[in-house]
Amino acid sequence: MAAIDTQNDESNIDNISLIESWQQVGKHVAQACAQAKRQTDEVTLLAVSKTKPAEMIATLVRQGQRDFGENYLQEALEKIQVLRGHPECEHIVWHYIGSIQRNKTRDIAEHFDWVQTLEREIIAKRLNEQRPAELQRLNVLIQVNIDNEDSKSGCLPAELPELITAIKHYERLQLRGLMIIPSKANTDAFARTKQLFEDIKIEHPELQKWDTLSMGMSDDMSAAIANGSTMVRVGTAIFGSRV
Ligand SMILES: *Cc1c(COP(=O)(O)O)cnc(C)c1O
């Protein structure tokens, strides 16, 4: 495929540093797991590839990276399209981690494996209706505004019970857990979210795949892992800064 060209020297040098950064992050995750007395395979590394080209994604796929997160729908759809024809990229698991407007739900339902940013029932309803029958259920995480910030998306903790009760009946969705982006200032957000996650597990034994707690990014992945994260979403530490 012409779009994935690793033949020229310049892109080979870029590839080497990309692979090294990715390996470093993998080590970092493994160390954090060891420190927390957890198994490394309890934590999934989600590579957040927003603003980065499909070539970089393909490079990491060849190294064994499987999960990728995207925030901007048009950009994501283009990359998914480019990589789809590429045999080794067939097994990429795509996570939508951007904000969801109503008019975007069909594309998300048709092209992604996970949505981590669900916060309203109307969006869940649309995703459920629009998820194609031939695909597996769409995995969803509810985004929680754990620090009650005006600027942040996500539902408030108090709104969770109602949202869970609504979403669990949707047959084309699979409710997997919670996702947060904590405010920097608030250091116990990870522990509070872990508690919420465990409380819901006890209150809702019917949620058979309630197994994912998505928290931790480039700067705070160790703390998140120490507090029970099962998925860290890492962009900058793998791909470099975004312009
Ligand atoms: C961009 C983004 C990330 C990755 O952030 P880094 O600090 O670059 O690791 C993680 N989660 C969400 C929701 C994002 O939008």
Side-chain angles (χ1 to χ4, degrees), residues 70-72 96-100 117 143:
E70 291 281 342
N71 295 56
Y72 310 113
Y96 188 75
I97 61 171
S99 62
I100 314 175
T117 42
Q143 183 177 355

Side-chain angles (χ1 to χ4, degrees), residues 65-239:
Q65 176 64 35
R66 195 189 57 149
D67 291 85
F68 290 87
E70 291 281 342
N71 295 56
Y72 310 113
L73 189 58
Q74 273 322 308
E75 179 201 323
L77 293 176
E78 282 165 30
K79 285 186 243 179
I80 291 170
Q81 174 75 18
V82 166
L83 294 169
R84 184 160 284 152
H86 214 251
E88 67 220 41
C89 294
E90 214 174 285
H91 301 294
I92 293 180
V93 177
W94 293 104
H95 297 243
Y96 188 75
I97 61 171
S99 62
I100 314 175
Q101 277 93 54
R102 279 185 205 218
N103 62 359
K104 293 184 183 172
T105 53
R106 184 175 298 280
D107 276 329
I108 293 171
E110 290 178 354
H111 297 284
F112 284 81
D113 305 291
W114 288 70
V115 172
Q116 301 208 1
T117 42
L118 198 65
E119 54 173 317
R120 287 185 292 157
E121 193 192 344
I122 179 68
I123 299 295
K125 180 170 184 287
R126 292 175 64 95
L127 290 170
N128 182 61
E129 285 165 3
Q130 294 167 343
R131 181 67 169 173
E134 69 274 16
L135 297 182
Q136 291 184 344
R137 296 167 84 166
L138 180 64
N139 296 293
V140 300
L141 301 180
I142 299 175
Q143 183 177 355
V144 184
N145 184 355
I146 192 69
D147 292 318
N148 205 342
E149 294 173 279
D150 289 344
S151 60
K152 280 276 167 62
S153 27
C155 75
L156 294 175
E159 297 168 333
L160 268 174
E162 210 181 317
L163 200 50
I164 290 169
T165 303
I167 294 173
K168 72 180 185 186
H169 296 297
Y170 289 130
E171 289 182 345
R172 303 299 297 135
L173 306 182
Q174 181 79 257
L175 187 53
R176 301 292 296 264
L178 304 177
M179 180 275 224
I180 61 159
I181 308 173
S183 72
K184 287 256 188 303
N186 212 326
T187 50
D188 69 349
F190 293 140
R192 284 184 289 121
T193 311
K194 168 71 169 169
Q195 189 62 52
L196 267 180
F197 179 76
E198 295 300 335
D199 290 348
I200 293 166
K201 187 186 284 182
I202 290 166
E203 280 162 36
H204 294 276
E206 75 282 11
L207 295 174
Q208 292 185 354
K209 280 199 158 190
W210 183 261
D211 60 2
T212 305
L213 187 50
S214 173
M215 55 187 197
M217 319 202 315
S218 291
D219 292 336
D220 56 10
M221 55 184 139
S222 297
I225 289 169
N227 283 284
S229 169
T230 71
M231 190 180 290
V232 287
R233 310 179 308 269
V234 181
T236 311
I238 295 174
F239 293 99

Side-chain angles (χ1 to χ4, degrees), residues 26-43 222 225-226:
K27 277 187 203 152
H28 198 113
V29 169
Q31 278 165 4
C33 286
Q35 252 164 13
K37 306 213 173 357
R38 302 179 60 197
Q39 302 295 316
T40 306
D41 66 6
E42 288 176 43
V43 179
S222 297
I225 289 169

